[in-house]
Amino acid sequence: MALSKTQKLAILVAIPVLFFLIPAPEGLSLIAWRLLGIYIATIVGLVIKPYGEPVILLAAVAASAATIGNTAGAEKLVKVGQTLSGYQSGTTWLIFTAFTLSSAFVITGLGKRIAYYMIGWIGNTTLRLGYVTVFLDLLLSPATPSNTARAGGIVFPIINSVAVALGSDPEKSPKLAGRYLLLNVYMTVKTTSYLFLTAMAPNALALSIMEPVLGFKVNWIEWFLAASVPGLLCLFLIPLICYFIAKPELKHVDNKNIAKKGLEELGPMSMREKSLAVLFVLALLGWIFADFLGVNSTTVALITMVLCIVLNIVSWDDVRKNKAGWDTLIWYGGIIGMSKILENAKFFEWLADTLNKHLDFGDHGMLALVVILILSVSVRYLFASGGAYVAAMIPVFATVGKVAGAPVELLTLGLLFANSYGGSVTHYGGGPGPITFGAGYNDIKSWWTAGFIIAFGSLLVHTTIGFGWWNFLMSMGWLPTAGH
């Protein structure tokens, strides 16, 4: 039975009230205990959603500021103004500005044009169309922090129209081609989403939340280097796995005709598309060589956003209308700020000390690491939002892993990447899921079967090949170590 909005709000109010009434545990400050109550209520709010994420986070930030101001001795640990510190974070602005580049691919039509060229070049079988999805999403993902927008605005409409053009109907002939093609869209997007720091908004959020706990951080190029070997291996296996599970009845495709019709509808390539293509390449080069150029990833994204507006690729009105970008700015800034004040109130120190007294893996830090990563993927069955999962579980898994003696670098990278591929397990594990599943071609059984194999198969790859690759990168000095 679904909860009404009134019932949901009652739950959210009751949680912090209980924390206010119950004394703080031994060793934890009163302000940290009360802020924890607000934080937990916020996480529950992100899951049950009485309102959108921005509204919930703004309410949480306001409640946190009021709590700090009215708790005796709180100012010795955390300042009221620190509740807004997440909006000063470069992470928040990196994701927001990258949304402009993302929307430009949709507005100008460049994303569709690239897709139809790829279909014409290599899409002469249904299996190869699966790889068209891989190459298209791989190309777009570095500049598209909303995988929902990437899938829903570019990849899904094109692949869905291809399925229709092939005569595959959701009710009459889903197995002809559509079931395979649409399943492959989602599984591909969930994999490309962890290959780049800027490919999915929760990536940067998770990194920001774990940094104060684990003392480990990577930049854009270090992230890609770490993700590249295990991630690309998983990515190029996905069309084959989906093909085996949802084998299409149609094998050969008249790709030339499909591509020709699509490009004719788009017309000649405009100056805006050409300008965007150049900016996209420059942005990638800026992120790759950020350290050499003496800038950071956020600066590169800001410059790219401004140039998009100045060159009339998008207008300021387009930026204003980008609801997903503004929503992300508000709620990610809020959740990062709340994590920061919990850190300042020494909550994570207390949690680590408490867990240390009751959790003992002995000298088996690697075992602890593997167990934590298995749990991190398994628990994704419970979350319909990668952002909600990150806010709720990443601080806990990071703290438990640190206390259990798991290698910090492997723990950080493992958790960062598992958030995305872990969302493959269900058709609601991320924003693109309801979009692609909603097309009507797929059944839950085959979707969940593919999701289980891809999620836990990816986990196996990352805990074997991935671990070896990350240790190699650190030994070569191409990946930092904790505290450096």
Side-chain angles (χ1 to χ4, degrees), residues 100-121:
T100 299
L101 193 55
S102 167
S103 65
F105 276 97
V106 178
I107 293 169
T108 63
L110 180 60
K112 287 185 177 181
R113 188 177 300 278
I114 293 170
Y116 283 121
Y117 275 124
M118 287 184 175
I119 290 170
W121 290 334

Side-chain angles (χ1 to χ4, degrees), residues 134-157:
V134 166
F135 293 128
L136 174 63
D137 202 63
L138 183 62
L139 178 64
L140 297 176
S141 56
T144 319
S146 170
N147 56 17
T148 303
R150 188 165 73 246
I154 300 175
V155 183
F156 166 77

Side-chain angles (χ1 to χ4, degrees), residues 4-6 8-9 12 44-52 56:
S4 68
K5 179 178 287 189
T6 302
K8 292 177 180 179
L9 290 174
L12 299 190
V44 173
L46 292 176
V47 174
I48 64 176
K49 294 185 177 178
Y51 294 101
I56 292 169

Side-chain angles (χ1 to χ4, degrees), residues 90-100 145 197-198 200-201 204 328 332:
T91 297
T92 305
W93 286 96
L94 168 64
I95 297 304
F96 172 72
T97 50
F99 266 96
T100 299
L197 173 61
T198 45
M200 185 174 75
T328 302
Y332 273 39

Side-chain angles (χ1 to χ4, degrees), residues 444-459:
I444 291 179
K445 181 182 177 181
S446 62
W447 191 290
W448 279 43
T449 300
F452 179 87
I453 293 172
I454 288 170
F456 286 93
S458 297
L459 176 63

Side-chain angles (χ1 to χ4, degrees), residues 126-127 129-131 133-134 150-152 154-166 168-170 173-190 238-239 242-243 246-248 424 426-427 432-443 446-447 450-451 454:
T126 41
L127 178 59
L129 283 175
Y131 281 97
T133 300
V134 166
R150 188 165 73 246
I154 300 175
V155 183
F156 166 77
I158 294 170
I159 301 302
N160 188 51
S161 66
V162 168
V164 172
L166 294 175
S168 188
D169 182 86
S173 53
K175 294 182 180 180
L176 188 65
R179 178 166 294 181
Y180 164 67
L181 292 175
L182 273 299
L183 175 66
N184 184 66
V185 167
Y186 181 68
M187 299 305 170
T188 296
V189 169
K190 295 305 291 181
I238 281 174
C242 293
Y243 194 87
K247 197 166 186 177
S424 303
T426 67
H427 58 296
I435 296 172
T436 48
F437 189 81
Y441 286 99
N442 298 96
D443 63 299
S446 62
W447 191 290
I454 288 170

